[in-house]
Amino acid sequence: MKTILITGASGFVGRYLAKVLLDQNNAVIGLGTSSAHPFEQIYDAFTWISADTGLPGPWQNRVQEADVIINLAGRNIFNPWTRAYKKAIYDSRVKTTQNLVAALPNAWSGLFFSASAAGYYGDRGDTPLSETDLCGTDFLAMVCRDWEARAQSAAQKGARVLVMRFGVVLGQGGGALNLMGKAFKCFVGGPLGSGRQWFPWIHIQDLCQAVLFLLSGEHQGVFNFTGPVATRQKAFAHALGSALKRPAFMPAPAMMVKLFLGELGASLLQSQKALPVALEKSGFKFGYRTVKEALDSIYSPLV
């Protein structure tokens, strides 16, 4: 049994991953800004600490108890990007990671997983992207660059560092599908802009299984957590409509997306053909290779 500390454990990915790890008979210390966590009443091996991990505090005393750290903290990007909110997006990721590394004891020999995003690459058109490709230059790319740099500094404390560049995480109960699915269920769903941009994605179950896979070996470095068969945004919209038995004929013109959502809208129109080269070379096998398989598995029991 390992003791695993998860920042952002009350978020969509954090809740799902904590359950998987608890069901594997690990002890989990969850951190987040929520005042309580439902797992406290369900799992004896779950401990909840309510804290703003973007700030130093007593929560850091628990870091040394962990064999594994999984750093998922970060404010939701799907809010208007005011100057203050962009700072919150940055600080919640970069400063949390900085505080975690500062709290590690010297010669700590554990695993330090840290989230990042396919947004690291910026807008790259049709270029296939592996983990060795360069960082972009827009706001989210700069957030990811600094986020990853703080995570990599954990190696100076002896940690084995694994950076997870997530695509859009698909699953029931939260995340991006919670927003997109509502539009399709109201018969107003469709692609964004031209729909030709590449849309990186991963099924939540594959994400969790990839973490378990990396926990089980001597892996380290950067990994694209993205589905193995790339899809364009238009094809994703049609697959989502099909899974929900709804049409996908209401495209959102790029000009309108940018007009109403500003810099956030521009980021949603970016193209990233991010492929899981490092995961597949390491021997990981995806349960959901295509976005259609992923969406059908999520929605078929529910519609």
Side-chain angles (χ1 to χ4, degrees):
M1 182 179 79
K2 296 182 184 298
T3 298
I4 301 174
L5 183 144
I6 304 177
T7 64
S10 58
F12 171 54
V13 174
R15 292 193 314 272
Y16 204 108
L17 184 56
K19 182 180 186 307
V20 169
L21 293 167
L22 287 161
D23 288 343
Q24 292 277 324
N25 295 317
N26 296 290
V28 173
I29 302 170
L31 292 99
T33 56
S34 300
S35 60
H37 196 293
F39 287 3
E40 288 182 290
Q41 309 302 319
I42 302 171
Y43 295 96
D44 291 337
F46 181 82
T47 302
W48 177 246
I49 300 170
S50 179
D52 181 353
T53 53
L55 299 172
W59 66 267
Q60 290 174 288
N61 297 329
R62 305 300 299 268
V63 171
Q64 62 187 344
E65 300 175 26
D67 304 304
V68 178
I69 291 169
I70 302 178
N71 179 28
L72 303 173
R75 293 287 287 275
N76 188 344
I77 68 165
F78 297 107
N79 280 305
W81 284 9
T82 62
R83 181 178 299 181
Y85 199 75
K86 286 173 70 174
K87 184 176 187 301
I89 288 172
Y90 183 93
D91 287 352
S92 61
R93 289 164 171 79
V94 177
K95 290 192 174 180
T96 287
T97 309
Q98 181 176 304
N99 291 333
L100 278 170
V101 174
L104 289 174
N106 290 321
W108 187 73
S109 58
L111 275 67
F112 192 102
F113 286 81
S114 191
S116 182
Y120 172 92
Y121 302 107
D123 190 4
R124 302 295 285 274
D126 289 335
T127 303
L129 300 168
S130 74
E131 292 82 359
T132 59
D133 279 282
L134 297 177
C135 184
T137 58
D138 61 279
F139 169 66
L140 284 184
M142 294 298 96
V143 171
C144 291
R145 179 200 64 187
D146 293 353
W147 196 6
E148 293 187 15
R150 300 302 191 281
Q152 294 289 4
S153 70
Q156 298 171 16
K157 295 282 189 81
R160 183 150 45 94
V161 180
L162 302 100
V163 171
M164 307 172 290
R165 290 181 185 155
F166 292 160
V168 175
V169 182
L170 306 179
Q172 273 292 333
L177 281 185
N178 194 44
L179 296 172
M180 292 184 283
K182 289 177 181 177
F184 278 82
K185 288 176 181 178
C186 294
F187 296 89
V188 291
L192 297 177
S194 70
R196 287 191 51 77
Q197 64 270 35
W198 292 96
F199 181 85
W201 63 276
I202 187 168
H203 193 294
I204 186 70
Q205 291 180 14
D206 276 336
L207 183 155
C208 293
Q209 290 304 310
V211 170
L212 293 178
F213 172 81
L214 295 174
L215 270 171
S216 69
E218 297 299 315
H219 311 283
Q220 62 183 334
V222 179
F223 297 85
N224 285 342
F225 273 50
T226 55
V229 178
T231 191
R232 295 186 190 270
Q233 217 281 328
K234 187 174 183 178
F236 171 80
H238 281 293
L240 179 55
S242 175
L244 288 169
K245 297 179 173 54
R246 298 290 193 276
F249 60 81
M250 292 289 290
M255 182 176 67
M256 299 302 291
V257 173
K258 292 177 182 177
L259 178 65
F260 285 103
L261 296 177
E263 196 175 354
L264 168 60
S267 76
L268 296 175
L269 295 167
Q270 289 186 348
S271 179
Q272 291 134 5
K273 193 178 183 182
L275 301 170
V277 175
L279 272 176
E280 293 202 300
K281 279 187 176 179
S282 296
F284 179 70
K285 304 298 183 185
F286 283 84
Y288 302 94
R289 296 192 60 80
T290 70
V291 76
K292 184 179 188 309
E293 292 172 356
L295 291 170
D296 284 349
S297 78
I298 292 165
Y299 287 113
S300 58
L302 303 171
V303 295

